[in-house]
Amino acid sequence: MRWTAFVAYFVVFVWFMGRTGIPFDRERLLLWIVGGLVVVSIGRPWRTLPRMFLDWSIFIIGITLYDFARGAARFVDAPIQVTPQAELDKIFGFGQIPTVWLQENFLHAKAHWWDAAASIIYATHFILPFVVAGILWAKDRVDWRWFATRFLVLCFLGCVTYAIVPTAPPWYASQVGEIGEVVRSTGRGWQIIHINAAETLIKKGQLVGNAFAAIPSLHAAWAALVATAVWRRVKGPVRWAVFVYPAAMALTLVYTGEHYFIDAVIGWLYLAGICFALPRIEDAWRRWRHREDPPDAEPSTGGLPSSADAVMAASVRDLPSAHASGGHEPHPQPSA
């Protein structure tokens, strides 16, 4: 039933895409993802649906609060930094600003295939993180929680930075004459592949967004988080190929004038810091909660259970018992 319903759901989704276009807007995209999770929950324990709605309600509320906080950061009225990041970028460009050099050499009057590639890569920022979150929840809720917590912490640390130290992107610095000519060219590639709805939605988002939220680059950080989440689940040397995606996103951001390369580097550093700090904060929280437990309540090792132990214990609790429907007693080993 689950697979039949999923195939039917996918067919309806493709039909709607044919009529209304790819759901680049977050509201429609999240609605489709949650609907898909309802379908893949068919046949699973009754608590799966309430758990899914609770998890995704918290996630969506967090994303909505981030959108408001990102816009509200403009009203703190801190001095806008325009030139320091351009000077730092000259280190990566051996004396030249990479954005200016790339556009001088590759941005022509007529759009080329690399402009289409840049537009597509840029647009994945609005789709891929949420699709990956949906797949992770369907596959492994523990992996989903790892992804969702880091995603939301990254968003809100970014908002705090935008409020305290607002930074201008290359296209703005060019408009005020601080650097050479830079065009905001994220939408030029849609002329080749004729998806005008995408260009319209992205331009609308750029108009209502915070123009001085360049550092850290969440475009680069989200791409790195997506790659890391996939890397954790894929085995073998091929899994390192996933990091081509954040590299391509960084190149796209620099080429299209949306960010300096230093913006992407700082976004990656934010993510690395979060991935380093969160497990230690979670362990400290567990120790604080168990500070009054009697000594005999602790494991024989004398330490507190790790995250992996807790996950294993939860998995064992969810196994069907011998007296439950579908449970069975293990077969005894034959005697010698």
Side-chain angles (χ1 to χ4, degrees):
M1 284 182 61
R2 182 188 306 135
W3 277 107
T4 302
F6 185 77
V7 169
Y9 188 81
F10 182 75
V11 169
V12 172
F13 172 69
V14 172
W15 179 76
F16 265 97
M17 277 206 306
R19 292 180 61 88
T20 62
I22 300 171
F24 286 99
D25 55 301
R26 190 178 298 163
E27 295 78 12
R28 280 196 305 158
L29 178 64
L30 289 172
L31 185 63
W32 279 109
I33 290 172
V34 171
L37 291 176
V38 171
V39 171
V40 300
S41 298
I42 294 173
R44 293 182 175 178
W46 67 267
R47 63 180 176 271
T48 302
L49 273 180
R51 182 180 290 172
M52 185 272 290
F53 283 121
L54 176 62
D55 287 346
W56 280 82
S57 295
I58 295 171
F59 187 56
I60 291 171
I61 290 170
I63 295 168
T64 305
L65 290 175
Y66 155 70
D67 285 334
F68 280 111
R70 185 172 181 266
R74 295 176 297 176
F75 300 105
V76 175
D77 205 24
I80 299 167
Q81 305 300 314
V82 179
T83 56
Q85 56 272 39
E87 294 301 318
L88 284 171
D89 244 34
K90 290 180 180 179
I91 298 173
F92 301 106
F94 302 102
Q96 298 189 65
I97 298 173
T99 301
V100 176
W101 184 88
L102 284 170
Q103 292 205 356
E104 284 178 351
N105 289 274
F106 294 97
L107 191 67
H108 306 302
K110 182 180 178 181
H112 291 73
W113 66 265
W114 54 83
D115 294 300
S119 293
I120 292 170
I121 293 169
Y122 182 80
T124 61
H125 169 78
F126 304 97
I127 298 176
L128 197 56
F130 308 105
V131 172
V132 168
I135 294 171
L136 288 177
W137 197 96
K139 292 287 186 181
D140 189 333
R141 185 167 174 257
V142 174
D143 276 358
W144 177 85
R145 289 182 64 184
W146 180 94
F147 181 89
T149 52
R150 282 147 184 79
F151 184 91
L152 292 177
V153 171
L154 189 59
C155 289
F156 284 99
L157 282 182
C159 285
V160 172
T161 309
Y162 302 152
I164 298 173
V165 188
T167 47
W171 60 265
Y172 178 86
S174 177
Q175 286 184 356
V176 296
E178 294 293 342
I179 63 174
E181 185 177 355
V182 171
V183 177
R184 197 176 193 182
S185 61
T186 50
R188 294 183 81 246
W190 300 119
Q191 301 171 17
I192 298 177
I193 50 182
H194 307 292
I195 305 180
N196 297 324
E199 183 179 8
T200 301
L201 285 170
I202 290 172
K203 283 185 175 179
K204 180 180 177 182
Q206 290 173 342
L207 288 173
V208 300
N210 185 349
F212 307 116
I215 294 181
S217 168
L218 290 190
H219 286 75
W222 287 10
L225 180 60
V226 165
T228 306
V230 176
W231 178 86
R232 283 163 48 89
R233 292 190 62 86
V234 176
K235 304 301 180 184
V238 70
R239 67 180 183 164
W240 292 98
V242 298
F243 291 104
V244 171
Y245 173 57
M249 179 63 79
L251 178 60
T252 293
L253 296 171
V254 174
Y255 169 63
T256 58
E258 289 292 330
H259 285 279
Y260 296 100
F261 185 63
I262 190 64
D263 302 353
V265 171
I266 294 175
W268 294 336
L269 290 175
Y270 268 51
L271 176 61
I274 290 167
C275 290
F276 177 82
L278 269 186
R280 288 153 180 80
I281 294 172
E282 290 165 355
D283 286 343
W285 170 249
R286 278 195 297 273
R287 291 191 186 95
W288 184 83
R289 288 186 62 188
H290 292 278
R291 67 193 186 284
E292 296 180 356
D293 287 354
D296 58 356
E298 295 182 355
S300 58
T301 58
L304 291 169
S306 66
S307 300
D309 296 332
V311 171
M312 180 61 71
S315 301
V316 171
R317 285 198 301 271
D318 287 341
L319 289 174
S321 66
H323 303 289
S325 174
H328 62 276
E329 293 284 4
H331 295 292
Q333 295 293 328
S335 57

